[in-house]
Amino acid sequence: MTKINTSLHSSRRKSRKAHFQAPSSVRRVIMSAPLSKELREKHNVRSIPIRKDDEITIVRGTNKGRTGKVISVYRLKYVIHVERVVREKSNGQPVPLGIHPSKVQIVKLKGDKDRDSLLERISKGRAAKAERSKA
């Protein structure tokens, strides 16, 4: 069987190196989060790169079910920080817990013109593909 995508490497060592040495622009795409059922129906998009001020629900881990707003996207560590999801240090100081974006679900998008155009572009492409498959 031949490789499907020749720009990606199938070697475990090289794939890991590419992942951990990825530039910030690539990390943004890796740090995508799935949309809620309502948003998925509305925008015809399954997941989107997460950003600050999105409202999310945690769907995995000990904080499962908690909702909140994204306060920071820490691309270097591949985690996001959510308001009120903190841990107490031994001296009592609160520290935000890092959560991977794949373990959350976006329930409300922070919209701006770039993001709206991205959603529009993706849904338009999906609609065109569905049209072609019908014909």
Side-chain angles (χ1 to χ4, degrees), residues 45-102:
V45 176
R46 190 170 188 87
S47 68
I48 193 166
I50 201 155
R51 66 162 287 180
K52 189 177 171 180
D53 294 332
D54 281 344
E55 287 185 29
I56 58 107
T57 301
I58 301 171
V59 293
R60 288 285 180 273
T62 52
N63 292 299
K64 182 178 181 176
R66 306 230 347 230
T67 59
K69 195 177 272 192
V70 177
I71 51 173
S72 73
V73 178
Y74 204 149
R75 288 189 188 166
L76 190 69
K77 291 185 173 180
Y78 284 110
V79 295
I80 60 169
H81 294 140
V82 183
E83 66 180 6
R84 296 187 309 275
V85 179
V86 293
R87 184 170 182 266
E88 296 290 320
K89 281 172 54 170
S90 58
N91 65 1
Q93 187 180 358
V95 177
L97 275 177
I99 299 160
H100 195 273
S102 67

Side-chain angles (χ1 to χ4, degrees), residues 4 6 8 17 20 22 28 31 36 45 51 54 58 69 83 87 95-96 99-100 104 110 114 117 123 127:
I4 296 165
T6 54
L8 296 174
K17 182 179 182 185
F20 292 111
R28 175 181 166 271
M31 293 178 71
S36 66
V45 176
R51 66 162 287 180
D54 281 344
I58 301 171
K69 195 177 272 192
E83 66 180 6
R87 184 170 182 266
V95 177
I99 299 160
H100 195 273
V104 302
K110 165 90 163 67
D114 293 331
S117 68
S123 62

